[in-house]
Amino acid sequence: MEGVKVNKHFYQKFVASALALIMFLGIFAGVDTVKAEAGLNVNADGAIMVDGETGRVLYQKNADSPLGIASMTKMMTEYLLLDAVKHGKVKWDQEYTVSDLVYKISQPTGLSNVPLRLGEKYNVRELYEAMAIYSANGTTIALAEVIGGSETNFVKMMNDKAKKLGLKNSKFVNSTGLNNKDYNGEQPQGTGAEEENVMSPRDVATLAYHLINDYPDVLKTASTPKKVFREGTDDRIVMQNWNWMLPSLVYGYQGMDGLKTGTTDFAGYCFTGTASRDGKRFITVVQNAKDVSGKNDGYKARFGETKKMLDYAFSNFTKETLVPKHYQVKGQKTVPVIKGKEDQVKIYTKSAINMIIQNGGKQDYKPVLVLDKNKLNKNGELTAPIKKGEKIGYLTVAPKSGEKVSFLTPEGGQQVKVDVIAVNGVEKSNWFVLMMRGVGNFFGDVWHGISTAVKGWFN
């Protein structure tokens, strides 16, 4: 079994209160999200589905409610490890000697584990593979000790990283996702004896989004269906991936290549999945998935609800070019210019805007042009000189319904925003031309004043 039994009623009041609060707060969802919510009924306490490229939210249910995550916790441990490797703080061939705590946690067969020997040396890569493929708890704590010096310090790193990633409804009390009672009194310092990690579906999806986009190689390991740990030794064990939706496993799904399962009594059956087909990638999260067949098959439930979301996504969403390169907004194709050889400049988009949208929903969006106020005078004019290709503002798209398009991160929203630039340069006029224009404008104003006065005399 992947997880471990814990107290079902622990945190019950906390979670119930959070759920009630979210129901009152409500959310701003894009038009496609509304349609997806109408077309899907995901049987889980919390769920979310997003575009894997931009993080655009396509479906959500109790998305901001803090819920149990169990071994999905290990995605944060993976992120911190891969970050440490990238910055040269940890090396793949670096050796680790098993501590007393790691040895004790790695022995129970009721937990996800590979056998580790006290005092034995293991390298970081094999510890990582055991964690990512087999959800091994002992190797996870070992990696926490490698990176943080102790699991107590590593948990602080986890919570600090959560803040930096914008995870607003998350709390980590250990590196594994176990309930702290399984540490038998040796849980990280400063955490409760029966505490367990919690995250909201939005936070889980945000973590997964950062993980696969910042460190895409994680999918090579996460998509490994089976691997042998310590081949050729007495500790040899075949590690079958707990993600049974990998194409060659029990609930095989085309394009599935990640990411992490999780199971405890408190969290229920959880799964963060990601699949890619035809140039589209989606990320899904289910927390405490429910089996409506009445057979209480949590494994089938979490994979079944994930399949439901992914089937809907691949069938109902498509990547469309909403705004082509060099697009000009009708009625706003030029901007007036002062002190230039020309009195206006043409503008267009530097690049195209592509976005995952509901099939046939292209007409539901409109372009929104925003000019740079710092470059305009009070009359809305640019001042020469203006260089060819100079940024004049930006263009984005918005649903005609007035609803907001929701993204997991601010960076995701930037992907549907493109620069608006000057098509041609406008040189500044020389002093003589500017003077003559000034004189002409002066006499023009004088003549206008005289003609107005004359008309007044004869009326």
Side-chain angles (χ1 to χ4, degrees):
M1 180 176 175
E2 181 204 346
V4 62
K5 298 294 183 181
V6 300
N7 188 342
K8 287 185 177 181
H9 303 293
F10 198 74
Y11 286 153
Q12 185 174 5
K13 292 182 179 179
F14 170 62
V15 174
S17 298
L19 287 169
L21 177 62
I22 296 302
M23 290 176 65
F24 280 106
L25 289 177
I27 54 171
F28 285 106
V31 60
D32 292 340
T33 312
V34 174
K35 290 180 180 178
E37 289 174 353
L40 280 170
N41 179 27
V42 177
N43 299 302
D45 284 354
I48 196 168
M49 176 174 69
V50 304
D51 169 32
E53 182 178 353
T54 65
R56 186 187 174 188
V57 179
L58 306 174
Y59 171 84
Q60 55 190 330
K61 177 181 180 180
N62 295 330
D64 296 299
S65 302
L67 302 166
I69 54 171
S71 284
M72 293 197 302
T73 296
K74 294 180 175 77
M75 289 191 293
M76 178 60 86
T77 304
E78 291 171 354
Y79 190 95
L80 289 171
L81 171 63
L82 295 170
D83 188 63
V85 171
K86 176 183 178 181
H87 292 95
K89 297 177 181 179
V90 174
K91 296 182 179 179
W92 288 117
D93 60 357
Q94 181 175 329
E95 290 191 329
Y96 164 84
T97 302
V98 174
S99 67
D100 288 343
L101 174 62
V102 168
Y103 171 74
K104 291 175 184 177
I105 293 294
S106 71
Q107 299 309 303
T109 57
L111 308 180
S112 298
N113 268 318
V114 293
L116 299 177
R117 294 182 180 270
L118 185 63
E120 184 80 13
K121 291 184 177 181
Y122 300 83
N123 66 50
V124 167
R125 185 175 293 281
E126 64 183 334
L127 294 173
Y128 164 65
E129 290 175 343
M131 173 182 66
I133 298 170
Y134 204 50
S135 200
N137 292 296
T139 65
T140 302
I141 300 174
L143 290 169
E145 293 179 355
V146 169
I147 300 164
S150 68
E151 190 177 14
T152 294
N153 191 50
F154 185 77
V155 168
K156 183 180 182 298
M157 294 172 66
M158 295 173 82
N159 286 302
D160 287 345
K161 179 59 70 174
K163 290 179 181 178
K164 290 180 181 178
L165 295 179
L167 311 185
K168 299 178 180 179
N169 296 291
S170 298
K171 181 182 179 182
F172 295 99
V173 297
N174 61 51
S175 63
T176 60
L178 294 172
N179 186 283
N180 271 353
K181 72 176 184 180
D182 293 294
Y183 282 71
N184 296 313
E186 297 185 63
Q187 74 272 7
Q189 295 174 18
T191 66
E194 292 192 8
E195 279 195 281
E196 192 166 324
N197 300 327
V198 294
M199 296 180 76
S200 68
R202 191 184 309 278
D203 283 359
V204 176
T206 302
L207 175 57
Y209 173 78
H210 280 292
L211 182 58
I212 67 173
N213 283 286
D214 295 351
Y215 302 105
D217 282 350
V218 71
L219 294 174
K220 294 180 181 179
T221 307
S223 62
T224 303
K226 185 169 62 176
K227 190 175 182 68
V228 177
F229 180 77
R230 289 261 148 163
E231 181 72 88
T233 73
D234 292 339
D235 295 329
R236 180 186 185 276
I237 185 171
V238 177
M239 303 185 297
Q240 180 170 293
N241 203 311
W242 287 102
N243 177 4
W244 295 352
M245 289 187 75
L246 293 176
S248 63
L249 299 183
V250 183
Y251 296 104
Y253 190 86
Q254 181 187 349
M256 175 66 65
D257 53 4
L259 195 53
K260 193 69 195 74
T261 57
T263 311
T264 63
D265 232 17
F266 167 62
Y269 288 85
C270 307
F271 181 45
T272 300
T274 183
S276 178
R277 292 184 195 168
D278 304 321
K280 297 181 288 187
R281 175 176 290 280
F282 299 103
I283 299 169
T284 60
V285 177
V286 290
Q287 289 172 259
N288 196 16
K290 309 293 179 62
D291 181 16
V292 295
S293 70
K295 296 181 180 179
N296 197 28
D297 186 346
Y299 290 94
K300 182 178 179 181
R302 67 178 169 196
F303 297 132
E305 296 308 297
T306 297
K307 181 180 185 299
K308 181 191 296 183
M309 285 194 285
L310 288 173
D311 283 348
Y312 186 92
F314 284 115
S315 297
N316 289 276
F317 288 93
T318 186
K319 192 171 185 178
E320 289 276 4
T321 299
L322 299 183
V323 173
K325 183 179 179 180
H326 294 169
Y327 175 79
Q328 291 183 293
V329 178
K330 186 177 181 180
Q332 295 177 294
K333 296 182 179 181
T334 63
V335 178
V337 177
I338 59 171
K339 299 184 179 181
K341 290 186 177 181
E342 288 86 32
D343 60 3
Q344 62 182 12
V345 62
K346 290 182 179 179
I347 59 174
Y348 59 28
T349 58
K350 184 178 181 179
S351 55
I353 293 180
N354 302 304
M355 190 167 73
I356 290 286
I357 63 171
Q358 197 95 12
N359 293 345
K362 192 173 181 178
Q363 72 280 357
D364 294 331
Y365 295 85
K366 62 181 179 181
V368 178
L369 175 65
V370 180
L371 298 178
D372 188 345
K373 292 182 180 179
N374 294 324
K375 292 191 175 184
L376 302 175
N377 63 18
K378 62 181 180 181
N379 297 318
E381 300 165 316
L382 294 168
T383 302
I386 299 168
K387 296 180 181 180
K388 180 180 179 180
E390 181 178 338
K391 183 180 176 181
I392 308 301
Y394 70 86
L395 186 136
T396 187
V397 293
K400 293 178 181 178
S401 64
E403 300 284 354
K404 290 178 66 176
V405 177
S406 176
F407 294 88
L408 292 174
T409 67
E411 295 77 18
Q414 292 297 319
Q415 295 189 50
V416 291
K417 182 186 293 185
V418 293
D419 289 348
V420 171
I421 60 176
V423 176
N424 300 298
V426 177
E427 296 181 14
K428 185 176 181 179
S429 292
N430 59 48
W431 69 269
F432 181 76
V433 173
L434 292 175
M435 182 184 70
M436 294 306 295
R437 281 184 185 173
V439 171
N441 290 336
F442 171 77
F443 283 108
D445 291 341
V446 171
W447 175 250
H448 177 73
I450 293 173
S451 63
T452 301
V454 171
K455 288 180 181 179
W457 292 339
F458 289 96
N459 285 340

